[in-house]
Amino acid sequence: MIFAVDVDYREGKAVAAGIAFNDWADHVPANTFIAQTDQVEEYQPGEFYKRELPIILLLLAQLPQLPQMIVIDGYVYLDRYQKAGLGIHLYNSLDKKVAIIGVAKSRFQDIPSETEVLRSDSNRPLFVTAIGIDESEARGYIKKMHGNHRLPTILKAVDRLCRDSYL
């Protein structure tokens, strides 16, 4: 199983949504999951993981088993020297048992150009970083995900699920 995750913040609350799917070409979720909390850390520049990691772990606790790979909205590492980003902290929190692929929509600081993935006919890249899997393989998976636009169908769907799930 592959698991795509997104987090949204609103009015002192955080919602994490997850979509389980079986194949990179899937366009329909196998299952969906939601977690919500009002225990939200303040944003701290360079330490974004402190805000996102707790709600993602709460979401993952709902799964019957850990997925083989998790796709996050964000970075695994934050520069060409592999400064730890959310993905590395998640990988370590899961005892290095699950590969993490980070897909970011905007370039962060000193991210190498080889992280860029162009999909379909878009000339705006996604930035793909990974741990626990070869990065070129991870970029290939993101490139072959379903959808004719810059952002794959499943990643758009998890973003929408997250935004629409506030109680």
Side-chain angles (χ1 to χ4, degrees):
M1 170 183 53
I2 309 161
F3 197 63
V5 176
D6 202 354
V7 178
D8 191 41
Y9 302 95
R10 203 175 302 172
E11 301 168 9
K13 293 183 182 181
V15 171
I19 290 181
F21 58 106
N22 298 310
D23 187 85
W24 292 103
D26 286 355
H27 66 282
V28 177
N31 210 337
T32 61
F33 299 84
I34 302 292
Q36 193 170 93
T37 185
D38 57 4
Q39 305 290 316
V40 180
E41 292 284 330
E42 289 296 317
Y43 172 73
Q44 296 176 29
E47 297 185 341
F48 183 62
Y49 74 93
K50 289 182 178 179
R51 192 168 204 217
E52 293 231 340
L53 188 58
I55 186 72
I56 292 174
L57 293 175
L58 189 63
L59 179 70
L60 292 173
Q62 296 180 27
L63 301 178
Q65 64 186 39
L66 284 175
Q68 293 174 290
M69 288 182 231
I70 297 173
V71 181
I72 61 169
D73 177 18
Y75 283 98
V76 169
Y77 55 85
L78 302 176
D79 62 19
R80 71 179 61 253
Y81 306 106
Q82 299 192 341
K83 178 181 176 184
L86 172 62
I88 288 175
H89 292 284
L90 178 58
Y91 182 70
N92 289 336
S93 293
L94 299 174
D95 297 324
K96 303 178 181 180
K97 294 179 181 174
V98 179
I100 309 296
I101 300 173
V103 178
K105 295 178 272 304
S106 57
R107 181 180 296 280
F108 186 79
Q109 296 177 3
D110 189 27
I111 291 296
S113 60
E114 59 267 15
T115 66
E116 295 179 9
V117 170
L118 292 171
R119 287 181 33 87
S120 192
D121 59 357
S122 176
N123 56 3
R124 290 181 48 217
L126 294 170
F127 301 91
V128 178
T129 53
I131 190 165
I133 181 176
D134 179 79
E135 280 204 339
S136 62
E137 186 178 355
R139 287 189 289 276
Y141 287 147
I142 300 305
K143 194 163 189 153
K144 79 178 193 178
M145 287 181 83
H146 181 272
N148 294 324
H149 303 286
R150 178 179 181 232
L151 202 59
T153 303
I154 290 284
L155 299 186
K156 278 186 190 179
V158 75
D159 175 72
R160 177 57 44 208
L161 179 63
C162 192
R163 291 173 191 251
D164 292 346
S165 295
Y166 279 90
L167 300 174

